[in-house]
């Protein structure tokens, strides 16, 4: 048997997100957010399986403890009414631009300080690869397969129990208090580098050579 890395275009995500990061101050200003904002990013379908409501509740708890906390929640889905209702009391601290095409995702990773994937049942979750390639620390539910593979031996993120908004909020508070963002960004990119298109190509070549 052969193991093929479930990869994304790390180099493209890194390059485009870094370009966006250089314009982060202008983005924050356009929303009336402070330059010192701690930006939490979620990108998901608004469904029970991906559980955006746990992220919203965790952010509500974070915002009550950290006035600099801000949330960007990207997505759409059948839970829209419930999500928007949950966000209503957080107006001014949340930006929800709706569904966005894949080509725009590095732009948003580059504007954030942490990526959260709250899905309790996700076999893999390519957004973990994407966020790490962009240099973002990642907090993910235990049910996210990519998190178990990519985060357990790294210093750029952690897991929280499925549906546990309190634990997620505590992890967000700890991240927001970290002063050294540069080392975390480096660790994230190193974690992503272990899952790269190059590894997939090498595995295919090796498999072909074996059966040639």
């Amino acid at each position: 048997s052969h193991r093929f890395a479930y990869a994304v275009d790390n180099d493209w995500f890194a390059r485009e997100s870094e370009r966006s990061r250089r314009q982060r101050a202008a983005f924050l200003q356009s929303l009336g957010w402070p330059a010192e904002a701690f930006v939490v990013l979620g990108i998901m379908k608004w469904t029970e399986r991906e559980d955006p409501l746990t992220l919203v509740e965790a952010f509500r708890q974070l915002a009550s403890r950290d006035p600099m906390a801000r949330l960007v929640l990207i997505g759409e889905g059948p839970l829209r009414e419930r999500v928007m209702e949950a966000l209503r009391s957080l107006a001014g601290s949340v930006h929800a631009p709706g569904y966005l095409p894949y080509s725009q995702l590095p732009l948003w990773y580059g504007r954030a300080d942490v990526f959260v994937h709250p899905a309790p049942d996700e076999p893999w979750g390519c957004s973990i690869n994407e966020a790490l390639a962009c240099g973002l620390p990642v907090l993910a539910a235990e049910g996210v397969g990519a998190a178990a593979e990519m985060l357990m031996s790294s210093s750029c993120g952690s897991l929280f129990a499925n549906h546990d908004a309190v634990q997620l909020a505590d992890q967000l508070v700890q991240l927001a208090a970290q002063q050294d963002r540069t080392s975390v960004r480096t660790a994230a990119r190193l974690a992503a580098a272990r899952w790269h298109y190059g590894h997939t190509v090498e595995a295919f070549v090796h498999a072909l050579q074996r059966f040639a």
Side-chain angles (χ1 to χ4, degrees), residues 63-112:
S64 71
R65 297 153 72 178
D66 184 350
M68 293 295 106
R70 299 294 185 270
L71 173 65
V72 174
L73 187 62
I74 296 171
E76 265 292 355
L79 292 182
R80 176 178 173 77
E81 282 191 22
R82 291 174 61 188
V83 171
M84 296 308 292
E85 176 62 28
L87 293 176
R88 192 160 290 120
S89 64
L90 298 166
S93 297
V94 177
H95 181 58
Y99 168 82
L100 295 173
Y102 191 77
S103 61
Q104 292 187 21
L105 297 187
L107 176 76
W108 295 91
Y109 287 121
R111 293 168 169 172

Side-chain angles (χ1 to χ4, degrees), residues 188-204:
R189 286 177 172 156
L190 287 173
R194 295 195 291 268
W195 299 78
H196 195 280
Y197 277 165
H199 301 148
T200 304
V201 171
E202 289 175 9
F204 271 115

Side-chain angles (χ1 to χ4, degrees), residues 35 42 44 51 54-55 99 113 131 136 145 149 153 184 188 199 212:
M44 69 201 72
D51 195 17
T54 289
L55 171 54
Y99 168 82
D113 294 296
L136 281 185
E149 290 278 354
S153 60
V184 174
H199 301 148

Side-chain angles (χ1 to χ4, degrees), residues 2 4 198-212:
H2 296 271
F4 300 101
H199 301 148
T200 304
V201 171
E202 289 175 9
F204 271 115
V205 170
H206 181 70
L208 291 172
Q209 288 174 340
R210 181 176 177 183
F211 296 106

Side-chain angles (χ1 to χ4, degrees), residues 132 136-139 150-151 154-158 184-185 187-189 191:
L132 292 173
L136 281 185
V138 172
L139 303 179
M150 302 182 76
L151 295 181
S154 76
S155 58
C156 56
S158 56
V184 174
R185 190 167 296 157
R189 286 177 172 156

